[in-house]
Amino acid sequence: MSTRPAPRVPAPRVDLLSAEGLAEHDVQQVTSLLGRLVDGGAALGWVSAPATAEIGELVERLAAGTVAGEAAAAIARSGDEITGFAFWHRYTRPTFRPHVDIEKVAVAPEAQGRGVGKGLMEALIRAAHRRGTEVITLDLRGDNAAAIGLYESLGFTRYGRLPDFVAVGQERFDTLLYSLDLRR
């Protein structure tokens, strides 16, 4: 039995998307990450892997939205490899303008459990706070215990449940609704 400590895994580097967006090879990495997750059954809103053009357009919209505080995206990297991607959009309805909704949080399977999701979420929370956001909302599939634990550890509270709301083929899953009040 070895007494040597396990090698340290470096903490992921998490950056916010700038108004310049991402280089094409980074867009391809995000597309690959999302595709691998969707193909593996992750609840990200797609039923099949998204195309690079679709993700390129999404990244362009997010980058454009960063200037006015309409959006924020966080990218986690391990070296040159993108291991996580997450983003929020500000609500468009005038009465909801003080609030943002986290729409996607994606972490590479090999990076899960290593602080990538937490780093992405903390970056998005800081960006929302800097933009004067009052409440951050998110929803997730009810069978995602790891994400539930992460969100609750960051102070999110569950405010609702939609039974059997998500349809994946013949399967049905609850949608859980969470919020983080930044006014406190």
Side-chain angles (χ1 to χ4, degrees):
M1 184 163 153
S2 173
T3 58
R4 275 192 287 175
R8 281 183 54 88
V9 176
R13 186 179 90 235
V14 177
D15 298 308
L16 288 174
L17 180 68
S18 71
E20 287 76 41
L22 291 175
E24 182 60 31
H25 68 275
D26 286 337
V27 170
Q28 290 172 352
Q29 281 195 47
V30 170
T31 303
S32 174
L33 166 67
L34 295 171
R36 286 188 299 138
L37 289 167
V38 169
D39 288 344
L44 291 171
W46 288 282
V47 292
S48 61
T52 302
E54 179 181 357
I55 301 306
E57 291 171 10
L58 170 64
V59 168
E60 285 179 18
R61 284 192 312 273
L62 291 167
T66 63
V67 176
E70 298 298 310
I75 299 102
R77 298 176 190 270
S78 179
D80 291 332
E81 182 183 351
I82 293 177
T83 56
F85 178 70
F87 63 90
W88 58 250
H89 277 111
R90 187 165 298 285
Y91 283 95
T92 56
R93 185 179 293 175
T95 55
F96 293 178
R97 294 291 296 155
H99 316 301
V100 301
D101 186 58
I102 294 179
E103 295 183 20
K104 303 273 186 261
V105 180
V107 177
E110 64 276 8
Q112 292 176 5
R114 297 186 175 179
V116 174
K118 183 176 183 181
L120 291 168
M121 288 297 296
E122 288 174 340
L124 291 180
I125 292 166
R126 283 191 305 271
H129 192 264
R130 279 195 303 271
R131 288 300 191 162
T133 299
E134 293 180 6
V135 177
I136 301 173
T137 61
L138 60 84
D139 64 79
L140 71 152
R141 206 165 77 186
D143 65 332
N144 194 341
I148 292 167
L150 170 63
Y151 301 145
E152 289 179 354
S153 77
L154 292 169
F156 282 80
T157 57
R158 190 168 108 183
Y159 68 90
R161 177 179 150 264
L162 297 169
D164 298 328
F165 190 74
V166 178
V168 181
Q170 295 302 311
E171 291 187 89
R172 297 294 182 266
F173 300 92
D174 294 352
T175 290
L176 303 181
L177 307 167
Y178 276 81
S179 66
L180 177 66
D181 192 332
L182 299 178
R183 295 174 288 194
R184 295 184 234 148

